[in-house]
Amino acid sequence: QVQLVESGGGLVQAGGSLRLSCAASGSIFSVNAMGWYRQAPGKQRELVATISSANSAQYADSVKDRFTISRDNTKNTVYLQMNSLKPEDTAVYYCNADIRRSFYRGTDKYWGQGTQVTVSS
């Protein structure tokens, strides 16, 4: 069993900051790419940022220069530092990780349960 548990969401005013965390636990051999996605009401889930096991990061254009993704491989944890938040950043944020459960298995994709981020104007 593998679990991804997110934390750090909440309500913040426009221009404020939040830091999301997502920890992977369970039967884990290795963690490859990790990332954050978000889904606003009535919209499709969209990619926010990803980070490889070698710490190479990519961002959606809408969050570049405002959000920073990072990871702690010793804790199997990924973070999303969100600065200069805007009302349009309001969404449920989901973490995602490509995890290998044993040497003999391929990589499977896992999702967290989601954490609500609300930005008021």
Side-chain angles (χ1 to χ4, degrees):
Q1 290 269 357
V2 171
Q3 279 190 318
L4 299 183
V5 179
E6 297 136 339
S7 60
L11 173 65
V12 65
Q13 288 189 330
S17 298
L18 283 174
R19 188 187 192 217
L20 305 183
S21 300
C22 172
S25 63
S27 179
I28 296 172
F29 176 75
S30 65
V31 182
N32 297 338
M34 305 183 83
W36 290 94
Y37 291 71
R38 67 186 180 187
Q39 187 167 19
K43 294 188 177 181
Q44 289 190 330
R45 190 173 297 189
E46 63 175 1
L47 174 68
V48 176
T50 61
I51 186 167
S52 72
S53 57
N55 282 316
S56 175
Q58 293 186 320
Y59 298 91
D61 288 343
S62 58
V63 306
K64 276 181 184 175
D65 301 323
R66 298 189 298 123
F67 291 10
T68 301
I69 190 170
S70 61
R71 63 190 287 170
D72 184 338
N73 291 331
T74 66
K75 299 179 180 178
N76 290 330
T77 298
V78 63
Y79 306 95
L80 187 67
Q81 177 67 43
M82 304 185 293
N83 299 328
S84 302
L85 282 161
K86 304 175 180 180
E88 51 263 43
D89 294 319
T90 295
V92 178
Y93 283 71
Y94 298 90
C95 73
N96 164 276
D98 294 334
I99 293 173
R100 197 173 171 190
R101 293 181 59 189
S102 77
F103 178 80
Y104 302 101
R105 289 177 66 112
T107 298
D108 296 309
K109 194 173 293 288
Y110 293 87
W111 291 89
Q113 80 285 357
T115 185
Q116 177 70 47
V117 171
T118 303
V119 184
S120 63
S121 57

